[in-house]
């Protein structure tokens, strides 16, 4: 057996192996390294003891601190809610029509409403609530399909329009392409366009489309095209056209109507947030008293 | 050397036999594997069940295949993490049971676009169609590519039963009835007509024409049917429920 020898120069021993007169030192690992290594091992075991760390036959070891990321979240959400508790409870306790009268509450609601609007409403109605021509209605003007009081807006956001929710605002315009002739559709489309053209004020009742309109359209859209909010029937006597205002657009809309659908947000957002959104939308410019 | 003449002792025995070294190395490695894997065999259910979850309807599953094929998961994640900012924006964090019928998982790992785990019922079908045809038309700052061609890619309802059988082999528990009635269910969901039997098999399925082309069944129908169901099935307790009280 090779015998380790003491090396007088370094003070360490050799391995005892010798290759043609060459021997090798067994220099020990530096003590600082050993200390750090052992400390790391200790921290690893400590961590395993404190935190959820390994699977067991009954689930997993939950750690002596009982920490979990979901538990953290519950605390975070609770802290966030607590910070807003005064305002949130005031939002729910105040009748929705009275929220705007309270200056501080209105400011809280519009600020929160703006954030919620960006996430939930802006994709369709636009970041500035200007709507998308040919697609989704603007919310900054005073042309409302289903009503522009804050209570109307609150109901629309909660239950949606044709959303499938049992309390949703719902209506359906018949596809007149199957009910009246192409000629009649053309005539009534011209009459509908004339409703918003002041130069036809005296002559429009003599147009061939007038009696067709009176029979088929007036029940929902009103005799003078003033619209009917009970059915979400748009005003036809203004120059605002959601799906286009050319003769061809109007004709298409009569043949096979497009009807907007808005989701019910009561399943997605809490009541406080929906109230904030209602106040925000109501104060954008077109809100009705 | 002197050691050649003496019998090896202790660790030297192992070092001098490749077979013994191999066997003992394998044994040591196996210990690590066993410690990690064996408890999982004994856990009754690693996925805690959540009420409301069901298998995807055939039409939704076709849409899911389109989603996979087009690589939507490379830019959209489908997992909401348990942080307040994510929960405030997207809704309840994702739980394991919500992915129990996913083959493959489409959780994704990058959010170039927003998370889609709860995008279902957030927008109208018309919005999805407009957004797929030209994303910039509804979201001006979007960098998403257009998928207008899906409007012209027909879906063949007849062939899908075989795909569902394949999914059954990898663990999606489709019943034989579901496989046999796949074509009917696809047509029922996309038309909204005669959908009672289909709704019994797949509760809470969204019905009707999805892509605005009532006379055609396209991949756009399927994809939107899939998007509209995401995150709408699981019935989860409010987010501030204590963790111990959760399902």
């Amino acid at each position: 057996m090779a015998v380790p020898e003491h090396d007088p120069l370094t003070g360490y021993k050799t391995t005892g192996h010798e290759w043609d007169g060459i021997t090798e030192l067994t220099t020990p690992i530096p003590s600082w390294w050993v200390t750090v290594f052992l400390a790391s091992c200790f921290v690893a075991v400590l961590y395993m003891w404190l935190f959820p760390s390994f699977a067991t036959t009954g689930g997993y070891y939950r750690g002596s601190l009982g920490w979990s990321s979901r538990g953290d979240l519950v605390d975070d959400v609770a802290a966030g809610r607590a910070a807003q508790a005064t305002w949130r409870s005031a939002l729910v306790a105040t009748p929705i029509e009275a929220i705007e009268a309270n200056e501080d509450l209105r400011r809280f609601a519009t600020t929160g409403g703006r954030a919620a609007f960006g996430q939930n409403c802006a994709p369709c109605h636009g970041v500035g609530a200007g709507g998308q021509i040919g697609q989704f209605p603007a919310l900054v003007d005073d042309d409302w399909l289903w009503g522009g009081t804050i209570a109307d807006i609150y109901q629309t956001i909660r239950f949606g329009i044709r959303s499938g929710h049992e309390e949703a605002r719902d209506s359906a315009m018949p596809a007149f392409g199957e009910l009246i002739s192409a000629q009649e559709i053309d005539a009534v489309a011209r009459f509908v366009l004339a409703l918003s053209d002041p130069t036809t004020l005296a002559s429009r009742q003599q147009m061939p489309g007038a009696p067709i309109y009176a029979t088929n359209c007036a029940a929902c859209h009103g005799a003078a095209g003033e619209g009917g909010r009970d059915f979400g029937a748009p005003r036809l006597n203004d120059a605002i056209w959601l799906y286009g205002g050319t003769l061809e657009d109007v004709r298409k809309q009569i043949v096979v109507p497009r009807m907007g659908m808005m989701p019910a947000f009561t399943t997605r957002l809490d009541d406080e947030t929906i109230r904030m959104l209602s106040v925000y939308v109501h104060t954008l410019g077109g809100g009705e008293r | 050397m002197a050691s050649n003449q003496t019998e090896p002792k202790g660790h030297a025995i192992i070092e001098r036999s490749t077979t013994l070294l191999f066997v003992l190395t394998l044994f040591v490695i196996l210990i690590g594997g066993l410690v990690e894997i064996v408890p999982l065999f004994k856990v009754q259910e690693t996925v805690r069940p959540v009420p409301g979850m069901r298998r995807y309807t055939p039409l939704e599953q076709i849409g899911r295949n389109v989603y996979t094929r087009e690589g939507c998961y490379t830019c959209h994640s489908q997992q909401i993490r348990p942080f307040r900012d994510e929960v405030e924006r997207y809704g309840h964090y994702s739980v394991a049971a919500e992915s129990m019928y996913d083959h493959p998982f489409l959780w994704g790992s990058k959010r170039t676009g927003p998370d889609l785990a709860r995008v279902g019922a957030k927008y109208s079908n018309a919005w999805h169609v407009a957004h797929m045809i030209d994303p910039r038309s509804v979201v001006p700052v979007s960098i998403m590519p257009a998928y207008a061609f899906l409007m012209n890619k027909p879906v063949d309802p007849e062939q899908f039963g075989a795909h569902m059988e394949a999914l059954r082999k990898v663990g999606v528990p489709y019943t034989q009835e579901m496989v046999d009635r796949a074509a009917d269910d696809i047509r029922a969901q996309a038309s909204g007509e005669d959908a009672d039997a289909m709704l019994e098999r797949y509760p809470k399925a969204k019905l009707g024409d999805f892509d605005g082309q009532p006379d055609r069944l396209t991949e756009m129908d399927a994809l939107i049917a899939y998007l509209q169901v995401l995150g709408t099935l699981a019935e989860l307790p409010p987010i501030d429920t204590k963790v111990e009280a959760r399902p």
Side-chain angles (χ1 to χ4, degrees):
Chain A
M1 280 296 283
V3 181
E5 290 166 359
H6 186 262
D7 178 51
L9 280 177
T10 58
Y12 298 131
K13 289 195 167 173
T14 69
T15 58
H17 295 290
E18 185 202 322
W19 297 273
D20 295 339
I22 299 171
T23 55
E24 189 186 10
L25 286 169
T26 55
T27 311
I29 298 165
S31 59
W32 66 262
W33 191 95
V34 176
T35 313
V36 170
F37 175 72
L38 292 175
S40 304
C41 292
F42 174 73
V43 169
V45 174
L46 185 70
Y47 194 92
M48 285 180 75
W49 177 63
L50 291 174
F51 290 95
S53 44
F54 52 87
T56 64
T57 50
Y60 65 94
Y61 172 67
R62 280 173 167 73
S64 66
L65 290 182
W67 179 91
S68 75
S69 54
R70 292 178 179 186
D72 259 14
L73 174 72
V74 172
D75 297 343
D76 273 4
V77 170
R81 290 283 175 276
Q84 300 172 343
T86 321
W87 299 113
R88 284 185 163 264
S89 51
L91 263 184
V92 179
T94 313
I96 188 119
E97 291 84 1
I99 292 175
E100 284 169 37
N102 180 334
E103 175 76 12
D104 289 337
L105 196 54
R106 192 192 69 199
R107 200 175 301 132
F108 176 77
T110 46
T111 308
R114 188 181 301 119
F117 189 90
Q119 167 63 7
N120 296 287
C121 318
C124 290
H125 293 289
V127 175
Q132 320 236 17
I133 293 170
Q135 294 276 7
F136 308 106
L139 305 176
V140 288
D141 58 17
D142 57 0
D143 185 47
W144 298 94
L145 291 170
W146 296 90
T149 67
I150 191 161
D152 289 333
I153 295 169
Y154 178 58
Q155 187 185 340
T156 305
I157 300 174
R158 271 205 298 174
F159 305 122
I161 299 162
R162 303 183 188 92
S163 62
H165 193 285
E166 52 216 23
E167 292 184 62
R169 299 185 184 278
D170 203 349
S171 70
M173 173 168 158
F176 281 96
E178 295 163 5
L179 299 173
I180 55 179
S181 72
Q183 220 175 350
E184 289 173 304
I185 288 173
D186 186 71
V188 81
R190 285 171 198 279
F191 177 77
V192 165
L193 283 174
L195 284 174
S196 53
D197 179 359
T199 61
T200 66
L201 195 56
S203 61
R204 68 171 72 125
Q205 287 308 325
Q206 279 75 55
M207 292 176 75
I212 307 171
Y213 180 89
T215 319
N216 296 292
C217 319
C220 294
H221 291 283
E226 65 271 26
R229 287 179 176 180
D230 291 345
F231 321 101
R235 276 180 75 151
L236 302 175
N237 62 3
D238 60 13
I240 299 172
W241 301 98
L242 181 54
Y243 298 124
T246 68
L247 182 62
E248 188 48 39
D249 289 331
V250 175
R251 202 189 286 133
K252 258 198 216 161
Q253 186 64 15
I254 298 170
V255 174
V256 181
R258 293 167 67 187
M259 283 167 284
M261 177 276 187
M262 173 169 156
F265 281 90
T266 185
T267 52
R268 180 172 283 275
L269 304 174
D270 55 31
D271 189 44
E272 292 94 322
T273 308
I274 294 180
R275 282 166 183 264
M276 290 187 225
L277 276 172
S278 307
V279 173
Y280 178 70
V281 171
H282 189 248
T283 53
L284 282 173
E288 294 171 350
R289 294 286 147 196
Chain B
M1 283 195 284
S3 58
N4 287 347
Q5 281 118 44
T6 52
E7 280 300 304
K9 275 189 258 171
H11 209 268
I13 304 172
I14 303 169
E15 287 175 18
R16 282 158 204 235
S17 162
T18 9
T19 317
L20 193 59
L21 185 65
F22 175 77
V23 169
L24 292 178
T25 307
L26 196 65
F27 176 72
V28 171
I29 292 171
L30 277 179
I31 292 174
L34 288 174
V35 167
E36 288 194 344
I37 294 165
V38 165
L40 295 181
F41 291 147
K42 302 192 105 188
V43 172
Q44 289 297 315
E45 282 182 359
T46 50
V47 178
R48 289 190 234 171
V50 167
M53 285 310 296
R54 63 155 166 81
R55 285 140 279 202
Y56 292 109
T57 70
L59 188 66
E60 289 158 12
Q61 183 61 48
I62 295 172
R64 197 166 192 280
N65 292 351
V66 174
Y67 187 99
T68 314
R69 183 191 72 204
E70 299 301 333
C72 305
Y73 58 86
T74 54
C75 291
H76 293 283
S77 59
Q78 279 189 29
Q79 48 172 335
I80 302 163
R81 298 174 290 175
F83 303 136
R84 185 173 165 218
D85 56 329
E86 299 219 352
V87 166
E88 297 272 15
R89 177 170 178 187
Y90 297 119
H92 196 292
Y93 55 78
S94 300
V95 300
E98 290 181 278
S99 301
M100 64 195 288
Y101 300 120
D102 289 9
H103 284 274
F105 298 125
L106 295 173
W107 294 329
S109 58
K110 187 169 183 293
R111 285 182 188 157
T112 301
D115 189 276
L116 299 181
R118 303 210 185 281
V119 80
K122 188 178 176 203
Y123 306 116
S124 61
N125 293 338
W127 183 88
H128 279 294
V129 173
H131 182 246
M132 292 290 175
I133 291 175
D134 177 10
R136 256 71 60 199
S137 73
V138 283
V139 184
V141 295
S142 171
I143 58 164
M144 185 172 117
Y147 291 90
F149 63 93
L150 296 178
M151 293 291 272
N152 298 315
K153 296 260 276 180
V155 164
D156 179 6
E158 306 302 331
Q159 302 302 316
F160 202 66
H163 189 95
M164 288 166 75
E165 264 184 278
L167 283 171
R168 191 160 62 177
K169 289 201 170 105
V170 297
V172 185
Y174 282 119
T175 63
Q176 191 57 42
E177 190 194 22
M178 288 172 165
V179 173
D180 294 341
R181 301 294 303 275
D184 296 340
D185 288 348
I186 290 171
R187 276 187 286 261
Q189 186 174 9
S191 67
E193 290 159 18
D194 304 322
D196 292 347
M198 182 257 170
L199 279 175
E200 213 161 287
R201 281 188 279 279
Y202 307 99
K204 291 205 281 187
K206 306 262 171 29
L207 303 177
D209 168 50
F210 292 91
D211 68 352
Q213 308 180 102
D215 50 333
R216 298 181 67 192
L217 181 60
T218 65
E219 291 189 347
M220 189 69 92
D221 281 309
L223 183 60
I224 294 174
Y226 172 60
L227 292 173
Q228 291 288 34
V229 81
L230 281 177
T232 62
L233 295 174
E235 291 153 20
L236 297 165
I239 202 75
D240 46 5
T241 310
K242 279 268 170 281
V243 174
E244 298 75 39
R246 305 189 72 87

